[in-house]
């Protein structure tokens, strides 16, 4: 091989190595940015999902799946009449809770589901509701889980009055956020790119 050909072969190999390194570094930078965006958006839910999924790659894939699923939904804000109607139903659930905690808690859970259905969220299964709440209201998803666990325990007569009271408080946090409490823009979230 002539020295000139050898020179160009070496140059080509060096260029390929440099391009490969740049692609590798660029991929890692994009991965770190994606991780940072997911952490920022999901907060403590990020760590919970990564741990439950058995690792960062699987956990982040799950969170990206949730984001994609949420983008497919046509979720809307409630109008003023709907907010007023649901607020009335919520007040009835709270009043019912004072007299009969079990019935009040069930009523609160149903009001939450009705609000979600009206806004366009899937409501057939708790896991669907939980996942979509984790996307739009990551700061409240643990409250929702805790309230749901207490409601399930109540159906087995395993929840005491304090657990039921806390479940109503947890449901109220989510209810107020879901209806926008008179401020529908508070229910809008900018979703990161999956």
């Amino acid at each position: 091989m002539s020295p000139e050909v050898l020179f160009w072969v070496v140059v080509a190999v060096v260029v390929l190595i440099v391009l490969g390194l740049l692609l590798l570094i660029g991929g890692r930078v994009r991965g770190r940015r994606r991780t940072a965006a997911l952490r920022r958006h999901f907060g403590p839910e990020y760590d919970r999902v990564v741990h439950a999924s058995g690792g960062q790659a699987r956990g982040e894939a799950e969170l990206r799946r949730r984001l994609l699923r949420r983008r497919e939904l046509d979720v809307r804000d409630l109008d003023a009449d709907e907010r007023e109607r649901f607020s009335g139903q919520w007040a009835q659930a709270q009043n019912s809770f004072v007299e009969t905690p079990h019935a009040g808690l069930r009523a609160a859970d149903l009001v939450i589901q009705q609000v979600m259905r009206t806004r366009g969220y899937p409501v057939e299964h708790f896991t669907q509701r939980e996942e979509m709440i984790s996307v739009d209201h990551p700061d409240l998803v643990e409250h929702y889980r805790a309230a749901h666990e207490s409601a399930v325990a109540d159906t087995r007569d395993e929840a005491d009055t304090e657990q039921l009271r806390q479940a109503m408080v947890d449901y109220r946090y989510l209810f107020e956020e879901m209806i926008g409490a008179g401020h529908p823009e508070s229910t809008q979230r900018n979703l990161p790119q999956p």
Side-chain angles (χ1 to χ4, degrees):
M1 187 179 295
S2 73
E4 185 175 305
V5 171
L6 183 59
F7 171 77
W8 287 112
V9 169
V10 170
V11 167
V13 169
V14 169
V15 166
L16 288 175
I17 290 172
V18 168
L19 285 174
L21 287 173
L22 289 174
L23 287 172
L24 180 65
I25 291 169
R28 287 186 178 169
V29 167
R30 280 190 302 281
R32 286 186 186 131
R33 285 183 184 154
R34 184 174 41 242
T35 294
L38 289 170
R39 278 185 185 278
R40 251 189 328 276
H41 180 79
F42 284 99
E45 182 71 0
Y46 174 91
D47 292 326
R48 192 195 73 73
V49 171
V50 165
H51 178 74
S53 299
Q56 183 177 3
R58 286 183 182 163
E60 288 186 2
E62 166 60 19
L63 294 171
R64 286 192 305 274
R65 184 195 64 76
R66 290 181 189 185
L67 286 166
L68 288 171
R69 172 69 178 118
R70 171 56 184 83
R71 287 180 189 283
E72 294 171 354
L73 300 176
D74 185 22
V75 174
R76 67 175 184 84
D77 292 324
L78 299 176
D79 63 34
D81 290 338
E82 290 168 328
R83 281 195 303 277
E84 186 175 325
R85 180 174 45 112
F86 286 126
S87 292
Q89 290 176 3
W90 183 258
Q92 288 176 344
Q94 285 183 308
N95 289 337
S96 176
F97 183 82
V98 171
E99 295 295 319
T100 313
H102 309 287
L105 188 63
R106 280 191 293 279
D109 184 54
L110 288 174
V111 172
I112 297 266
Q113 288 182 51
Q114 290 170 349
V115 168
M116 291 184 77
R117 180 180 293 114
T118 300
R119 290 197 55 204
Y121 288 101
V123 296
E124 286 71 38
H125 302 286
F126 172 75
T127 55
Q128 292 175 321
R129 295 189 306 268
E130 171 191 33
E131 288 176 359
M132 293 304 97
I133 287 171
S134 78
V135 173
D136 284 347
H137 307 285
D139 50 330
L140 297 175
V141 69
E142 273 306 314
H143 290 286
Y144 186 52
R145 279 190 197 106
H148 179 74
E149 287 174 17
S150 293
V152 169
D154 182 48
T155 64
R156 296 186 306 255
D157 291 327
E158 296 173 358
D160 62 29
T161 304
E162 178 55 25
Q163 287 173 298
L164 299 180
R165 186 197 67 74
Q166 185 59 52
M168 280 297 286
V169 170
D170 288 337
Y171 274 147
R172 187 183 72 224
Y173 291 144
L174 180 60
F175 173 76
E176 289 175 354
E177 186 74 12
M178 291 292 291
I179 68 164
H183 305 286
E185 65 278 0
S186 72
T187 63
Q188 295 297 322
R189 293 282 198 264
N190 291 326
L191 302 179
Q193 292 299 319

